Amino acid sequence: MNIILFGAPGAGKGTQANFLINEFDLTQISTGDMLRNSVESRTELGKQVESFMASGDLVPDNIIFSLITERLNDIDMKKGFIFDGFPRNLKQAQKLDEIINSININLDFVFHIDVDEKILTSRIENRAKQEKITRKDDTSEVLIERLKVYNRDTKPVLDHYANQNILNVIDGMGTIDEVSSNISTIIKKDFKVD
Ligand code: AMP
């Protein structure tokens, strides 16, 4: 079973990704984690991407494409996977369609964890106030920029999957457990899980 998870910054995408990975034994493909690792280990790639990430902008597509191709070569395709943070724009979604066709796999579910814009903004402000900032790109200014980039570049990708009839919009305003349970109900209804 292969999944893509979408959610604006503050929507709880990371939390739900972890839930799904454990619940359905999926391999996580998180471009954000891959990029953060390369920044932390000071690789050439890390140096190239650092400033994009620090300002909340998207890293250029060609860099993302080589990361994804490399990662897909490395993983066991028999196990299902979850794309977390990819695709982030229409060009990436088209590239993912090509990759999926070329390696003969299917996308089974696309979930959009939908949270009202006002709530996202207030979650962002609260996070900043509580100073629970563990990521360099989690300051309120950068989060607001990431939200803008999400609305401009990533939201249009949802239509791409709505047209393929695989988009599920999940109300992200409930508790963490409610959101998890809504997602797993949809999966269990449509997909026979061993
Ligand atoms: P995330 O952990 O998914 O929120 O990603 C953190 C940051 O990494 C983003 O704000 C972007 O700067 C960069 N990033 C992650 N995934 C992508 C992607 N698919 N395309 C472009 N930039 C990305």
Side-chain angles (χ1 to χ4, degrees), residues 50-97:
E50 194 167 16
S51 61
F52 293 102
M53 294 178 77
S55 59
D57 287 336
L58 293 185
V59 167
D61 289 337
N62 60 334
I63 295 180
I64 299 295
F65 295 156
S66 49
L67 272 182
I68 287 283
T69 315
E70 209 177 291
R71 178 90 172 97
L72 287 175
N73 277 333
D74 267 4
I75 65 176
D76 175 5
M77 280 296 167
K78 283 187 226 95
K79 204 169 149 180
F81 47 80
I82 178 163
F83 282 108
D84 168 4
F86 174 84
R88 271 304 222 274
N89 60 27
L90 271 175
K91 221 167 152 212
Q92 293 185 12
Q94 283 152 0
K95 181 75 174 183
L96 182 59
D97 285 346

Side-chain angles (χ1 to χ4, degrees), residues 5 12-23 26 28 30 82-85 113 180 183:
L5 199 55
K13 174 171 69 71
T15 309
Q16 298 303 332
N18 285 334
F19 163 77
L20 289 168
I21 290 158
N22 293 325
E23 181 79 2
L26 303 172
Q28 182 181 26
S30 161
I82 178 163
F83 282 108
D84 168 4
I113 304 170
S180 302
I183 297 176

